[in-house]
Amino acid sequence: MTNASTFVAMSPRLQVVAERAKKEPAGRFHSLAHLMDASVLQGVFERIRKNAAVGIDGVSKQQYEEHLQENLQDLLVRLKSKRYRHQPIRRVNIPKPNGKTRPIGVSTTEDKIVQGSIREVLETVYEQDFLECSYGFRRERNAHDAVRALNKAVGQGEARWILEADIETFFDSLDRSKLREMLEQRVADGSLMRLIGKCLRVGVLDGYEYIQPERGTAQGSALSPLLGNIYLHYALDMWFETEVKPRLNGRAKLIRYADDFVICFETRRDAQRVQEVLPKRMERYSLKLHPAKTRLLDFRKPTKVQGSGKGPSTFDFLGFTFYWRRSRKGRWMMACKTKRASFNNALRSITDFCRRHRHLKVKDQHASLCRRLVGHFNYFGVNGNGAMLNRLRYQTGRIWLKWLRRRSDRTKLTWKRFKGVLKTYPLPYARIRVQIWGT
């Protein structure tokens, strides 16, 4: 659930655009494409991961870099002369725990540069428009900020009722014609709109099958998260803030991370009214709420008669399960722990790694396992979740031992001997990296 958009120092020319966008919230920009100059293209290239998957042309970042200046100059000329053509996206199907797959689009290195450059220009405008309720794939915002906002809403009594929602196959479902109408409210630059259209209409190569979807935007594209945020800014965020909240009797708060969101309500009646109209609003924009992941629940603070353990209501958001518990001082407070599915996914990934790489040197296995655990701890290491972090570390040791024992029938790796291995190659201890609430 980490943010894909990292903060980048804004160039002076982009800063001018940002200042104008902030001063003129209804203004339209007729000249933006020229901002995608050589320095922007190179900056985007440098931020592409070294081990990024290659597209259909098989050209890696390292290969593209061998003649970087020539390649970027040629790309810039083709962009200015409108001769640039987006190559088909290579589809990779990632297995999901429920047996289904998640389609991810892999673009060529050159197309990643173009997508990233368009995103950088559009972000300059839309970061001035996006509302406080939006946290996903934005500069200097992340999932932990969304959790903090949720905690604040609970503490202020705004979240007695929670409408938990998830949009089904969002990136594959968004209506491109409506997205274009949304973009045209701010972007009047025909050249930039044509480039965005090329990125949206590009075909997909799935194995040997070539398809050209009429809806959606490819998951995995550097541009898709921003386009998704723009789409939901108009379809959900603005609607809720300007049309829904003024008609409610009590307080309410929307907290959205990409297509995953919760709406907090002070009163049950308000929650029920919004629960009734929300599917109709989504349908208007060709979107559908996931029936199994959308529900209204009572999240009021437990009463004294409910005992001293945990409160009855729980809900999931951003990979965490939120629930009520007693603080050290005996007060009820909201807490969170790693969602069961997220925990099982982590174990499944570790098991798969240990199984497939059990014949590597122990040193190399250890380094990879440490990276996986530290990555997990960096996200799920919020205060109050220490037990789940320690559990993952313990289970990782058991899984590693199991597959080390299968390296050879002649080797009998006992638990005692494995403890010696762990002394030489210790697994990282679970650490709380993020403070969300007090104790």
Side-chain angles (χ1 to χ4, degrees):
M1 289 289 177
T2 55
N3 226 333
S5 179
T6 55
F7 176 74
V8 179
M10 192 178 295
S11 70
R13 295 205 298 171
L14 290 177
Q15 184 65 44
V16 171
V17 174
E19 291 172 358
R20 185 197 156 192
K22 190 172 183 178
K23 291 178 181 178
E24 303 175 20
R28 301 181 74 214
F29 291 83
H30 293 78
S31 181
L32 289 173
H34 74 281
L35 297 172
M36 296 170 54
D37 56 19
S39 63
V40 169
L41 296 180
Q42 181 160 348
V44 172
F45 170 80
E46 291 171 354
R47 291 190 291 275
I48 296 176
R49 291 184 296 107
K50 292 182 179 180
N51 60 342
V54 299
I56 64 169
D57 61 357
V59 177
S60 66
K61 179 181 180 179
Q62 289 76 12
Q63 292 171 319
Y64 195 89
E65 193 172 18
E66 291 176 1
H67 304 283
L68 180 60
Q69 296 307 317
E70 294 90 335
N71 288 333
L72 292 180
Q73 188 59 37
D74 176 65
L75 173 59
L76 187 59
V77 169
R78 283 183 284 126
L79 286 171
K80 289 182 177 179
S81 61
K82 299 180 176 59
R83 291 186 293 109
Y84 164 76
R85 295 292 181 270
H86 197 301
Q87 298 189 61
I89 292 175
R90 180 171 67 89
R91 174 171 288 174
V92 179
N93 295 296
I94 307 298
K96 296 174 67 176
N98 58 8
K100 298 181 180 180
T101 59
R102 181 189 301 276
I104 299 295
V106 181
S107 302
T108 66
T109 299
E110 182 174 85
D111 293 333
K112 290 174 184 174
I113 296 172
V114 175
Q115 292 166 13
S117 301
I118 297 173
R119 182 191 66 201
E120 192 162 323
V121 172
L122 287 180
E123 272 184 344
T124 304
V125 175
Y126 283 99
E127 273 298 320
Q128 320 311 316
D129 295 353
F130 289 151
L131 305 183
E132 283 294 313
C133 61
S134 171
Y135 292 89
F137 304 103
R138 293 185 59 189
R139 293 177 178 179
E140 297 187 293
R141 285 183 161 227
N142 56 41
H144 296 136
D145 294 326
V147 174
R148 291 188 182 96
L150 176 60
N151 180 55
K152 183 178 180 181
V154 171
Q156 294 179 344
E158 294 178 296
R160 296 175 180 174
W161 297 85
I162 301 286
L163 180 56
E164 178 187 5
D166 184 86
I167 302 173
E168 195 170 9
T169 60
F170 168 68
F171 287 101
D172 294 331
S173 302
L174 62 82
D175 188 321
R176 294 175 185 170
S177 62
K178 289 188 179 298
L179 175 61
R180 184 177 182 88
E181 292 173 4
M182 295 171 181
L183 288 167
E184 287 177 344
Q185 294 188 41
R186 288 295 251 164
V187 181
D189 186 332
S191 296
L192 187 61
M193 290 298 292
R194 277 191 293 272
L195 275 177
I196 296 171
K198 289 179 180 180
C199 293
L200 284 172
R201 294 190 300 270
V202 64
V204 176
L205 189 63
D206 191 350
Y208 294 102
E209 182 183 5
Y210 177 80
I211 55 178
Q212 200 155 10
E214 297 181 357
R215 287 181 175 271
T217 176
Q219 293 191 56
S221 164
L223 190 57
S224 291
L226 176 60
L227 295 179
N229 269 339
I230 294 171
Y231 199 83
L232 289 176
H233 170 73
Y234 291 102
L236 179 63
D237 302 354
M238 289 289 292
W239 169 74
F240 184 78
E241 290 295 326
T242 61
E243 297 184 36
V244 175
K245 286 180 69 173
R247 292 177 170 84
L248 300 180
N249 294 320
R251 293 174 296 170
K253 188 178 186 67
L254 167 67
I255 302 172
R256 180 177 65 81
Y257 188 96
D259 58 327
D260 193 6
F261 64 94
V262 295
I263 309 180
C264 310
F265 299 92
E266 186 177 11
T267 71
R268 180 178 183 177
R269 175 59 181 154
D270 286 343
Q272 291 174 331
R273 289 170 61 193
V274 175
Q275 183 185 27
E276 183 179 344
V277 300
L278 184 60
K280 299 174 185 177
R281 176 68 181 184
M282 293 293 98
E283 187 177 351
R284 181 177 173 182
Y285 290 87
S286 305
L287 302 175
K288 181 181 178 182
L289 294 177
H290 197 298
K293 298 180 180 179
T294 303
R295 63 191 180 116
L296 178 63
L297 60 99
D298 182 350
F299 201 66
R300 288 174 292 181
K301 185 181 298 186
T303 61
K304 293 181 179 180
V305 298
Q306 290 174 315
S308 58
K310 296 180 180 178
S313 298
T314 68
F315 67 95
D316 298 329
F317 185 49
L318 301 179
F320 293 98
T321 295
F322 294 86
Y323 62 99
W324 286 101
R325 72 170 177 86
R326 293 281 193 182
S327 70
R328 294 176 182 175
K329 297 181 180 180
R331 295 193 298 264
W332 283 107
M333 61 175 288
M334 185 179 75
C336 72
K337 62 182 179 180
T338 309
K339 179 181 173 183
R340 179 177 296 179
S342 302
F343 183 84
N344 291 339
N345 287 345
L347 284 183
R348 192 177 294 109
S349 175
I350 290 169
T351 299
D352 184 59
F353 168 81
C354 290
R355 177 182 59 82
R356 290 187 295 106
H357 299 91
R358 62 185 182 273
H359 295 298
L360 290 180
K361 293 180 179 179
V362 172
K363 178 182 178 180
D364 295 334
Q365 293 186 48
H366 171 258
S368 183
L369 287 173
C370 287
R371 286 193 297 270
R372 290 166 183 266
L373 285 175
V374 170
H376 184 94
F377 296 160
N378 284 342
Y379 182 78
F380 290 100
V382 302
N383 54 324
N385 195 33
M388 293 298 289
L389 303 183
N390 285 320
R391 182 180 170 191
L392 180 68
R393 181 179 184 272
Y394 173 74
Q395 291 294 343
T396 298
R398 289 177 59 89
I399 293 168
W400 195 19
L401 170 60
K402 172 184 174 179
W403 290 103
L404 284 178
R405 281 174 169 170
R406 299 191 181 190
R407 285 159 65 101
S408 172
D409 293 336
R410 294 170 294 177
T411 303
K412 298 296 182 181
L413 183 60
T414 64
W415 180 252
K416 184 176 181 180
R417 290 183 60 190
F418 181 63
K419 284 185 176 180
V421 173
L422 290 178
K423 286 183 179 180
T424 306
Y425 300 104
L427 295 175
Y429 284 98
R431 296 185 183 278
I432 301 302
R433 308 296 176 92
V434 182
Q435 295 291 326
I436 300 293
W437 34 62
T439 58

